[in-house]
Amino acid sequence: MANLKYIREDIQNIAEAIVAVLGIDVTIVDDDLTRVAGTGIYLEKIGEKISGYSAFNKCLIEQIEIIIDDPSCNDICNECSNSGACKEFAEVCCPIISEGVTYGVIGLIAFTEEQAKVIKNNNNVLMNFLGKMADLISNKIKAQVKAYELELEKKKLETLVNGIDKAIVSIDVDGNIDKYNLKFKKVFNLENNINGKNIFKLLEFIKKPSRDNFKKEKSHSFNYKLDRYELKGIYNINEIILKKELKGYVIDFIDNKDAIKNYNKINKDYSITLENIIGNSSIINSVKKEALIASKSTSTVLITGESGTGKELFARAIHNHSNRCENPFVAVNCAAIPDNLLESELFGYEEGAFTGAKKGGKLGKFEIANKGTIFLDEIGDMSLHLQAKLLRVLQEKELNKIGAKSNKFIDVRIIAATNKDLEKMVLKGTFREDLYYRLNVIPISLPNLRQRKDDIPDLIDFMIKEYSRKLEKHVTGIDKNVLDVMLEYKWPGNIRELQNIIEYGVNMSIGEIITLDVIPNKLKNVELEEVLVQNDKIITLEELEKAEIIKALHKYKDYKKDKELVAKALGISRATLYRKLEKYKIISK
C-alpha cells in the first residue's frame, strides 16, 4: 500500500530544500526505480524510470549507501547501462528504509567539478545529512501508512455499521449525537443533518442512564410516534469506556416487525416453496397448482385437511410465492392459546388497557404481520367473540386494539386452516356463517396420506436423509418388507405420523437399512391382519407362531447375534425363544 508516489509533494519539498542548502541537484526514485522527485535537469524527468543496472539499483536492492567520487574508475559506473555517456562527476546514494523495507533511494548528483569537490571533501557529512533526509521521508511513509490504516479501519467500521440490520447511534455523555448508521435515520424518519443534536430531545422515549443503576437500565421497550408513523421495539444502551473513563454511549434499536422478519429469514421454513413440498402424485400436484394460483392473489385462503397433512407448510409456501414474501409471515395456533389471552395476542393492547398490562402496550400478531401474511391455524377453535373481531379486520381492514381510542388501518393477508368441518359448525351455530364465507374465498383441500400413497417412497427417502443427518446415523433406506407394510398402513396421523415412525426407525436401526424389527408393532399388526383376512384357510395360533419364528430365524440367520435379534423382533425374551424352539422342534444354527 505504502508508496513514495502518495507523498510526492512532501518529497519534492525535501528535494528542493536539499538543493537550496547544498547547491547540488537531487533526484529521488521509488522501489520501482521511477523518479518521484528531482531538481535541475531531473525536474522534467519526474515519472520516468531508470533503466538497466545503476548505483541507484544496487543501493535499492542491497540497502547500502553508495558514494561515487570518480565515475571513470568506479566498478559500478563501468557496469552501468549509461557508461560512456554519463555527464555526472560524482554521486551519493542513500536507501529510504522503513520497518526493514526499502521504499526508494535519495541521491545527490554533481554535474560540475565544483559540485564534485563538495561531495569528495564532505563525504561523511553529506552521507549523514542524506541519511537524516531519508529518515524524514521514512517517517512520512510511516505517517502515510498509519493514516491509510486509520482511514481503512474507519471505512470498514462505517460499512460494518451500515450493513447491520438494526438502527445504531453513538452519543457523548451529554447525549449529543456524533455517529449513526443509515438505518437509524431511516427507521425514525429523521432529517439529513443530525450530528450534534441531542438524542434525549430527538427521541424523548430514551432516558439518560445513571451509572449507579446502569445494568438495570440497559434495555427498554419503546413506542415512537411521528405524525401517523408508529414504531415499537426495544433499545439497548452500552457504555463507551476509555481508560476507566466514561466517554459516551452506543444505542441500538430492534424493531419488533424486523425481528419477526429476520426470524422468518433464518428459520428453515422461510425458504419453503411449492417445489420443495415432497410428492409427485396427481392429487398433490393438483393441490400445488391451486396453491400457486392462490399465492398471486390477496384474497383469504382456507386450507382444510386432516391433522398432519401439512397445512402450515402450504401456507408458508403460498406466502413465499406471493409479492409479500419479503414481509413477515406470522403463524398463530388458535387452539394452543387460551381464549382469554388470544384476543390480546392477536390484536394487541394499549398501555393501561387492563391491570397488569405492559408499559408501552403490546403489538398484536396482526400488527407484526402488517404488509405480510398471518396464518391462523385451527381457526375452528376460535370463540364467537373473537370471530366477530376477526370479521371486522377482514371487512374493514381495521384493527381494534384493546384499550385503543380509535381503530388502526392494517394490510394483512389472511390464510386460515382447520381440520374441522366448518360448514357443519355453521349449521350448529358454533361458527359464524359470514366469517366462514369471508375466509373460504379460495378453498384448498389437502389430501390425507391414504389418498397419496404414491408419494410415500419419496417422503420416506427424504425423511431418512433428514433424520440421519440430524441424529448423525448412517441409515440409507428401508427394507422392501417395511415399505410394503407402510404402503398398507392407514396412516391416521398422516405425514406427521410418518415422520415419527421414520425418526424412530433411524434411531433404533443398527445397520444402514430400517428393517421390520425396528418399526412399531402397530404397523406390523396391519400386515398380520391383512394375511388373516385374505387367507380363507384358518390356521391354529400355534401354527402361526411357529411360522413367524421360522420366518424370523431365516431373516437373521446371517447375523452374529441372530437369536437376540429374533427374540427382539418377536417381542419375547431369549429364554422364551429357546423354549419355543424346543416346543416346536425347530432346528437352528
Side-chain angles (χ1 to χ4, degrees):
M1 181 280 304
N3 192 298
L4 297 186
K5 293 185 181 74
Y6 294 115
I7 52 172
R8 183 177 292 162
E9 186 175 338
D10 291 329
I11 294 174
Q12 183 62 31
N13 290 337
I14 291 171
E16 290 173 1
I18 293 171
V19 74
V21 173
L22 301 177
I24 302 174
D25 281 324
V26 181
T27 186
I28 301 172
V29 300
D30 62 14
D31 57 351
D32 194 35
L33 293 177
T34 299
R35 296 187 202 276
V36 292
T39 62
I41 65 169
Y42 293 118
L43 189 59
E44 295 180 356
K45 295 185 178 182
I46 293 173
E48 294 180 2
K49 189 171 181 178
I50 297 175
S51 59
Y53 183 78
S54 65
F56 275 63
N57 189 34
K58 184 176 179 67
C59 178
L60 181 75
I61 294 172
E62 299 183 18
Q63 294 187 339
I64 58 173
E65 299 169 342
I66 296 175
I67 299 175
I68 300 174
D69 52 16
D70 187 357
S72 63
C73 61
N74 187 278
D75 293 338
I76 298 174
C77 291
N78 291 334
E79 295 179 26
C80 179
S81 58
N82 201 32
S83 180
C86 182
K87 298 178 181 179
E88 299 174 5
F89 283 78
E91 182 177 328
V92 178
C93 300
C94 180
I96 301 167
I97 301 172
S98 178
E99 307 291 339
V101 178
T102 308
Y103 287 92
V105 176
I106 180 171
L108 296 179
I109 314 296
F111 286 101
T112 65
E113 289 186 0
E114 289 76 12
Q115 290 176 336
K117 284 180 182 179
V118 173
I119 290 176
K120 291 176 185 178
N121 297 332
N122 300 278
N123 278 346
N124 292 335
V125 175
L126 287 176
M127 190 56 72
N128 184 50
F129 180 70
L130 270 193
K132 292 188 181 300
M133 293 299 102
D135 288 342
L136 180 60
I137 295 173
S138 175
N139 288 332
K140 291 282 185 183
I141 292 172
K142 289 178 183 177
Q144 178 220 356
V145 170
K146 197 67 179 175
Y148 179 86
E149 288 175 348
L150 288 172
E151 188 66 26
L152 180 60
E153 288 303 312
K154 179 184 175 184
K155 198 65 182 176
K156 283 181 181 178
L157 189 58
E158 284 179 2
T159 305
L160 176 67
V161 171
N162 282 324
I164 294 173
D165 195 23
K166 65 168 70 171
I168 298 176
V169 62
S170 69
I171 58 175
D172 63 20
V173 290
D174 297 317
N176 299 314
I177 296 172
D178 47 39
K179 295 283 188 302
Y180 53 88
N181 68 350
L182 297 175
K183 183 146 189 175
F184 175 70
K185 280 175 49 181
K186 181 180 177 182
V187 299
F188 290 108
N189 283 347
L190 299 173
E191 58 191 44
N192 287 331
N193 188 15
I194 57 174
N195 274 334
K197 292 199 173 182
N198 192 280
I199 192 76
F200 304 124
K201 294 179 181 178
L202 196 64
L203 303 177
E204 295 181 354
F205 61 81
I206 299 177
K207 305 302 177 187
K208 186 174 181 179
S210 63
R211 297 216 66 188
D212 297 334
N213 205 26
F214 180 73
K215 285 186 178 180
K216 291 183 179 179
E217 298 179 356
K218 282 185 68 173
S219 298
H220 293 274
S221 60
F222 70 86
N223 183 6
Y224 175 74
K225 292 182 181 180
L226 183 65
D227 298 326
R228 297 187 66 183
Y229 179 71
E230 184 175 2
L231 184 72
K232 290 189 176 184
I234 297 170
Y235 71 87
N236 304 292
I237 300 182
N238 291 286
E239 294 176 313
I240 302 171
I241 305 291
L242 181 62
K243 294 182 179 179
K244 297 182 179 180
E245 186 179 350
L246 179 66
K247 293 296 183 180
Y249 304 93
V250 171
I251 310 173
D252 66 82
F253 304 82
I254 302 171
D255 178 3
N256 285 350
K257 294 175 185 176
D258 278 350
I260 294 292
K261 182 178 174 181
N262 292 335
Y263 169 78
N264 284 335
K265 285 185 177 180
I266 62 174
N267 191 307
K268 178 185 173 184
D269 290 335
Y270 177 81
S271 60
I272 286 292
T273 64
L274 292 167
E275 292 80 9
N276 299 140
I277 295 176
I278 307 298
N280 283 300
S281 61
S282 59
I283 191 169
I284 201 68
N285 280 335
S286 177
V287 175
K288 287 181 185 180
K289 288 177 183 176
E290 291 176 11
L292 184 61
I293 294 170
S295 71
K296 307 307 175 187
S297 171
T298 57
S299 297
T300 55
V301 177
L302 179 62
I303 304 175
T304 56
E306 294 179 10
S307 179
T309 49
K311 294 186 285 294
E312 183 171 344
L313 206 63
F314 268 87
R316 287 185 181 274
I318 291 170
H319 170 76
N320 290 334
H321 280 279
S322 73
N323 58 7
R324 295 172 178 258
C325 61
E326 290 301 316
N327 294 312
F329 175 92
V330 179
V332 182
N333 189 316
C334 300
I337 304 171
D339 189 60
N340 60 330
L341 297 179
L342 186 58
E343 182 173 4
S344 63
E345 192 71 21
L346 288 175
F347 306 110
Y349 56 78
E350 294 289 354
E351 182 177 337
F354 50 84
T355 303
K358 289 182 181 178
K359 187 177 181 180
K362 178 183 178 181
L363 284 176
K365 299 297 186 184
F366 273 95
E367 276 188 279
I368 294 172
N370 195 32
K371 304 295 182 182
T373 303
I374 189 166
F375 174 59
L376 301 175
D377 198 8
E378 307 295 350
I379 191 73
D381 290 270
M382 184 178 282
S383 69
L384 288 169
H385 166 66
L386 290 183
Q387 289 177 33
K389 292 201 72 170
L390 177 58
L391 181 63
R392 181 172 184 82
V393 174
L394 281 165
Q395 288 178 329
E396 309 297 335
K397 303 294 183 184
E398 287 184 347
L399 186 70
N400 181 231
K401 296 178 73 170
I402 300 172
K405 295 178 181 178
S406 60
N407 294 334
K408 180 177 181 180
F409 175 78
I410 200 83
D411 176 19
V412 177
R413 205 263 177 99
I414 296 175
I415 301 177
T418 183
N419 60 3
K420 295 184 176 181
D421 189 335
L422 294 187
E423 287 189 0
K424 286 185 179 179
M425 292 181 67
V426 168
L427 293 174
K428 291 179 181 178
T430 56
F431 199 87
R432 292 183 64 112
E433 184 178 17
D434 46 6
L435 176 60
Y436 171 68
Y437 289 117
R438 280 286 182 182
L439 292 174
N440 199 36
V441 177
I442 303 179
I444 294 179
S445 177
L446 298 188
N448 56 48
L449 198 52
R450 299 181 297 281
Q451 295 171 295
R452 46 179 298 208
K453 287 192 173 182
D454 290 348
D455 294 328
I456 289 179
D458 289 337
L459 288 165
I460 290 172
D461 286 344
F462 175 79
M463 291 173 187
I464 286 176
K465 288 176 184 175
E466 282 288 293
Y467 287 116
S468 293
R469 179 181 57 80
K470 287 180 181 178
L471 301 171
E472 297 182 352
K473 300 264 294 194
H474 187 60
V475 179
T476 58
I478 61 170
D479 185 90
K480 184 181 180 301
N481 292 328
V482 177
L483 180 58
D484 291 341
V485 168
M486 289 186 171
L487 289 173
E488 291 298 325
Y489 185 61
K490 301 303 181 184
W491 298 111
N494 294 293
I495 296 173
R496 192 177 293 125
E497 185 181 12
L498 178 60
Q499 284 179 310
N500 178 272
I501 298 296
I502 296 300
E503 184 176 4
Y504 175 82
V506 171
N507 268 300
M508 302 307 294
S509 289
I510 57 175
E512 295 184 4
I513 302 297
I514 296 175
T515 52
L516 277 171
D517 59 302
V518 294
I519 64 171
N521 287 328
K522 65 178 181 178
L523 270 74
K524 289 181 281 191
N525 289 341
V526 172
E527 182 187 47
L528 180 59
E529 288 171 8
E530 293 293 329
V531 169
L532 293 175
V533 170
Q534 293 173 11
N535 194 340
D536 292 334
K537 181 184 177 182
I538 297 175
I539 59 175
T540 65
L541 292 176
E542 286 190 347
E543 287 175 320
L544 183 59
E545 185 176 55
K546 181 179 178 180
E548 288 301 307
I549 292 172
I550 292 172
K551 186 200 293 185
L553 287 169
H554 179 74
K555 179 177 178 62
Y556 295 106
K557 63 181 175 28
D558 296 324
Y559 287 77
K560 187 175 181 180
K561 296 182 178 181
D562 58 328
K563 299 297 189 298
E564 186 177 324
L565 293 172
V566 168
K568 185 178 179 182
L570 294 170
I572 59 178
S573 68
R574 289 183 64 182
T576 301
L577 173 64
Y578 282 114
R579 283 199 302 272
K580 301 283 186 185
L581 293 176
E582 186 176 349
K583 175 182 177 181
Y584 297 124
K585 295 182 174 51
I586 299 172
I587 301 172
S588 64
K589 65 173 185 175

